[in-house]
Amino acid sequence: MDKKVTIYDLAALLKVSPATVSRGLNNHPSISDSTKKRIHTIAKEQGYRTNKFAANLSKQKSNTIGVIVPRLDSYFMSTVLAGIEQVANKVGYNLIISQSLESEEKEKINARTLLNSGVDALLVSLANETKDYEHLKNYTSRKIPLLFFDRVFNLPNCPTILIDNRAAGYEATTHLISQGCSNLLHISGRLNRSVYKERFEGYKEALQAHNIPFDDTNLLETDLDSTKIKTTIEYIKNSNVKIDGLFISSDNYAANCIKELQKQGYQIPRDIKIIGFNNDPVSEIISPNLSTIEYPGHKMGVLAGESIIAHLNGTINLQSTNSILLRHQLLERESTQKTI
Amino acid sequence: MDKKVTIYDLAALLKVSPATVSRGLNNHPSISDSTKKRIHTIAKEQGYRTNKFAANLSKQKSNTIGVIVPRLDSYFMSTVLAGIEQVANKVGYNLIISQSLESEEKEKINARTLLNSGVDALLVSLANETKDYEHLKNYTSRKIPLLFFDRVFNLPNCPTILIDNRAAGYEATTHLISQGCSNLLHISGRLNRSVYKERFEGYKEALQAHNIPFDDTNLLETDLDSTKIKTTIEYIKNSNVKIDGLFISSDNYAANCIKELQKQGYQIPRDIKIIGFNNDPVSEIISPNLSTIEYPGHKMGVLAGESIIAHLNGTINLQSTNSILLRHQLLERESTQKTI
DNA sequence: ATGAAAGCGCTAACAA
DNA sequence: TTGTTAGCGCTTTCAT
């Protein structure tokens, strides 16, 4: 069982044509059950395994789905990927995963490589940097289904899966206000990514709705990179007004801010109330527990996988779907508790 | 630029043979620079992209590396994967990633699928459950390079990449002892996985070296699944002797234990000193900061990727390498601090 | 330095 | 229900 056995070998053994063997192996309806059985048994016996290269070449499809994410090593992304993998694996699709590391350049290369690899579909969460979308139009122009999740962009015929970031931002902000905050700061990711943009807009709307004035000092646009929170902390300390509420677009960043602020003598939530985003595990480890917005990563992955596969199977037509919104949820915890 | 352009099209345009085009595209030495140039320009101009299926079929290799991990959504694994992806991507290899979810069954299926997909090599970190290795022998018998990382197993000709878990366990334990602990408990993962087994052995050796008796009550074998720490906490509370030192094979689990113990009135590190494993981000978020063993996930991924690729390129022969040990490091933090 | 031609192993349209 | 046959697009040996 070491040399490659092909359908020709099986055909010879069974005195049938290779075509019959091929059909039998693929459970083609027009093959009699008896020969089908014979084919399968001899295949098993001979240790036959189909050569995907040949099948792919012939069918011009690969049973493979490409995925591009900003980074593999983020908790949120890994839960999404776990979800995608789970459904893809179940129905026999392979996943080729690559990361852009937030670089537009790398994202372009990845997109090209995956295209060359003949993926049947592409799932993308965009890099922060990305401003041009030509590399993705190569897919749409070839009718290769393309779906965005989380970091989405509105491209014709490309559905998106995400949560209602605006509403979530609104709720998070409203929560801070209802807990007594009036001098808020929103620490955002790059605003050219719609996820952050919309949270920000929800934030602004909430301020407005509560007659709290907004100006540029109420927003800090960052990379949300925890290794460089110092400038953020400085910003907070040097603020003219005493900031009493922080809405931070990432739990991880928020947790690190809390640690640092505590180190500088701030009491959370007494001096500053903080709400994060994502419901990352750290949010329950940090003291005080971090209030946050639950963001269903695994579910998002499952849904992305299911959607794209259903589309590939022709079960549903994704083109007509514009976007799928997942439910988010405000989780009130200690970091925004009222103090007496 | 929508229809597929093949080397035949290019050949026709250039009045040369397809073979020449193929060689030119692959920078074959026997093609004159001038025609090579012509070929490349026309290829670009026509938007030619090589059909990987055909190339794969012809060459019987895929430029793809398979990866099987227990779970995608663990911080440690995601850093490893990020490392692998980084080097693979750089040299044009694709990564097909799948997860076993700790199930031997699923691992077998994944291995088979990846084999069928024609991966050029396989990187594996084993599921907890796995006890039989036939599914992997399919690779070795076909001379497809197979490399284990982290959760390894000793299979002929399959190199392993890991840290010296025994030494790490020894150091962690010794550290607890030197901080004044004498009634230790080791909370381990499943001992049939060598990583855990060896940490445990290092632990036992350290006890022995310090004349601390060991019996079964000094070990608790678990799944290290943070959703079910209750039994662990019960075990600690109900112990006959007052446990004063905990060596836990996972930071995440350790962090959750700390939270729970604190809830039950324990003071850490005063009542119990705790050391974890991995240097997961939570270890620096939890209060008190968690002492731990630094486990270089990203580096491990990079090394695994580099090794397997070098082997595929024929640069080095991995078969002769048995195992690669990465450096670990004891990180002393608050959770094991002496209290006065 | 280039060309001719035989695969690589499977699929599918068309026949029987 | 099964067989014939012609690809799928690229690589590679053997000629030239």
Side-chain angles (χ1 to χ4, degrees), chain A residues 1 5 10 13 38-48:
Chain A
M1 68 115 100
V5 15
L10 301 184
L13 287 166
R38 290 171 59 219
I39 290 170
H40 277 115
T41 34
I42 196 109
K44 198 139 301 168
E45 182 187 309
Q46 297 291 314
Y48 168 84

Side-chain angles (χ1 to χ4, degrees), chain A residues 175-176 179 251 258 268-269 273-295 329-339, chain B residues 259:
Chain A
H175 174 58
L176 284 175
Q179 296 303 96
D251 279 351
I258 290 180
I268 317 293
K273 304 197 196 321
I274 302 182
I275 184 166
F277 214 101
N278 273 17
N279 196 20
D280 188 289
V282 298
S283 64
E284 296 199 88
I285 294 295
I286 186 83
S287 294
N289 280 180
L290 183 63
S291 295
T292 189
I293 301 286
E294 149 84 0
Y295 198 151
Q329 196 188 348
L330 172 67
L331 300 176
E332 307 184 11
R333 296 204 274 235
E334 298 163 3
S335 68
T336 52
Q337 219 142 69
K338 270 187 184 148
T339 44
Chain B
K259 293 293 275 189

Side-chain angles (χ1 to χ4, degrees), chain B residues 148-167:
Chain B
F148 291 102
F149 61 93
D150 189 44
R151 304 258 202 92
V152 307
F153 182 74
N154 207 338
L155 226 51
N157 293 325
C158 299
T160 58
I161 299 190
L162 70 175
I163 65 164
D164 187 339
N165 283 287
R166 173 189 299 263

Side-chain angles (χ1 to χ4, degrees), chain A residues 4-5 50 84 87 91-92 134 150 155 168 194 205 229 252 288 325:
Chain A
K4 48 210 66 167
V5 15
T50 140
I84 299 175
V87 308
V91 297
E134 281 309 316
D150 189 45
L155 226 51
S194 59
E205 284 173 19
I229 55 165
N252 217 330
L325 283 186

Side-chain angles (χ1 to χ4, degrees), chain B residues 2-69:
Chain B
D2 206 33
K3 59 211 328 163
K4 49 210 66 168
V5 16
T6 74
I7 52 172
Y8 292 99
D9 301 325
L10 301 184
L13 287 167
L14 292 168
K15 310 281 188 208
V16 297
S17 77
T20 301
V21 176
S22 170
R23 293 192 184 100
L25 257 11
N26 295 309
N27 284 313
H28 189 104
S30 78
I31 298 291
S32 75
D33 279 1
S34 64
T35 49
K36 218 177 265 185
K37 203 134 296 173
R38 290 173 57 220
I39 291 170
H40 277 115
T41 32
I42 197 110
K44 197 140 302 168
E45 181 188 311
Q46 296 292 313
Y48 168 83
R49 43 190 62 233
T50 140
N51 181 322
K52 288 269 180 76
F53 303 150
N56 290 346
L57 174 59
S58 183
K59 290 188 302 191
Q60 294 297 338
K61 69 170 301 235
S62 61
N63 249 262
T64 292
I65 296 171
V67 185
I68 303 178
V69 297

